[in-house]
Amino acid sequence: MAELQFREAIRDAMDEEMARDERVFLMGEEVAEYNGAYKVSEGLLDKYGFKRVIDTPISELGFAGIGVGAAMNGLRPIVEFMTFNFAVLAADQIINHASKARYMLGGQLNTPIVFRGPNASAGQLGATHSVAYDSMYAQFPGLSVIYPSEPDDAKGLLKSAIRNDDAVLFMESEQMYGLKGEVSDEEDYIIPIGKGKIKREGDDVTIVATGKMYHIAKQAATQLAKDGVEAEIIDPRTIKPLDIELIVESVKKTNRCIVVDESHPFGGLASEVGFLIQREAFDYLDAPVRRVTLPDVNAPFSKPLFDLWLPDAKEIIDAVNAVTYRK
């Protein structure tokens, strides 16, 4: 097992897929000569040249559209957004074209394209740079949404995404690019899309969390263990398709569930998981499902307010105490 940063694991996945399949290419703002805004694409220009590592103008709708057209014509583009906060400018291409072409054209063509880049908050960057879009894109048929929390997941899932024959959004927490973790050195390492993972076993409560919220959940679980509460943490890794079977089986064991979601509360991942658990495992619940989300407020710039706005370990512990009727 090699220890890699999150950015290095993503780079390795792209590098291996570009070497394996000459139809794969990378395009986006500063991905070539600057090696990527977060250095994710460092070295790829030197290795593959300007025809396969392409700098674009700051024109999200334009270059996303070029990517969709290329995918429809047999190539396999990876489109990097400097942040998904401004990928909303390309939402027409993602939602109305990449996701629907196969359905609207009766399966005559597909769009094997990956849209990837940083998602959600990254500290004091203000309200326009701090939105989690994974739940929003998961609402649309025809799109898969992946939100890994560790380097190993990032590498295996991105390789699967690049090989997928339909559009995939690959979300990367901006605060995790420097995160280190062990990554499988298995040749051609692949993790299938739609398979979650139990990352910490426990019997007292199930905590569902993905992206950087997974790491907050780990902090909470460590603290809870000191008080004799063993939390089972499930990282779905893929928001859509969601591995609800894994979550339900865990809830049948622990009888309680907390969902930690960096989205706002209305209509997010936490709401969907809560609904599915009551539908599939209602008779096993000893307490209502609780969710820990952002408040229904835009991100503040002030650090004290930002720290209060973002979910933390204490909020998760409070939620666990509520569903276990401990305090």
Side-chain angles (χ1 to χ4, degrees), residues 2 4 8 68 100 141 176 179 186 201 235 239 272 274 288 295 321:
L4 299 178
E8 293 170 331
V68 171
K100 297 173 181 171
M176 296 197 321
L179 174 78
E186 178 184 322
E201 295 200 354
D235 179 358
I239 305 296
E272 180 67 10
N321 286 336

Side-chain angles (χ1 to χ4, degrees), residues 202-251:
D203 296 321
D204 297 319
V205 61
T206 299
I207 300 177
V208 179
T210 192
K212 68 173 172 282
M213 291 298 103
Y214 162 72
H215 298 280
I216 305 296
K218 270 205 319 183
Q219 294 172 18
T222 300
Q223 186 61 46
L224 286 163
K226 294 176 182 175
D227 295 332
V229 177
E230 293 298 336
E232 181 150 289
I233 302 180
I234 292 183
D235 179 358
R237 305 191 292 194
T238 303
I239 305 296
K240 189 180 184 183
L242 179 67
D243 192 352
I244 190 63
E245 292 82 6
L246 183 70
I247 297 169
V248 166
E249 287 306 309
S250 176
V251 172

Side-chain angles (χ1 to χ4, degrees), residues 4-18 26 38-42 44 78 80 114 116-118 148-159 162 170-174 176-179 183:
L4 299 178
Q5 289 183 336
F6 198 77
R7 60 165 62 84
E8 293 170 331
I10 295 170
R11 183 189 309 143
D12 275 6
M14 293 193 294
D15 188 5
E16 289 180 16
E17 291 306 295
M18 291 176 76
L26 173 67
Y38 297 92
K39 305 305 177 193
V40 173
S41 56
E42 189 167 27
L44 295 183
I78 305 166
E80 177 176 318
V114 175
R116 50 154 294 266
S149 63
E150 295 183 300
D152 187 68
D153 296 334
K155 180 175 180 180
L157 283 164
L158 182 54
K159 285 170 67 70
I162 294 168
F170 193 89
M171 306 286 195
E172 303 151 12
S173 170
E174 204 161 335
M176 296 197 321
Y177 283 120
L179 174 78
V183 176

Side-chain angles (χ1 to χ4, degrees), residues 26-55:
L26 173 67
M27 64 188 302
E29 298 147 337
E30 299 183 348
V31 300
E33 292 195 75
Y34 190 69
N35 287 315
Y38 297 92
K39 305 305 177 193
V40 173
S41 56
E42 189 167 27
L44 295 183
L45 173 63
D46 294 338
K47 196 166 183 180
Y48 297 102
F50 285 107
K51 286 188 176 180
R52 297 183 67 193
V53 183
I54 303 167
D55 276 331

Side-chain angles (χ1 to χ4, degrees), residues 304-315:
L305 290 177
F306 179 83
D307 291 343
L308 188 64
W309 174 79
L310 195 66
D312 60 16
K314 181 180 182 305
E315 287 181 73

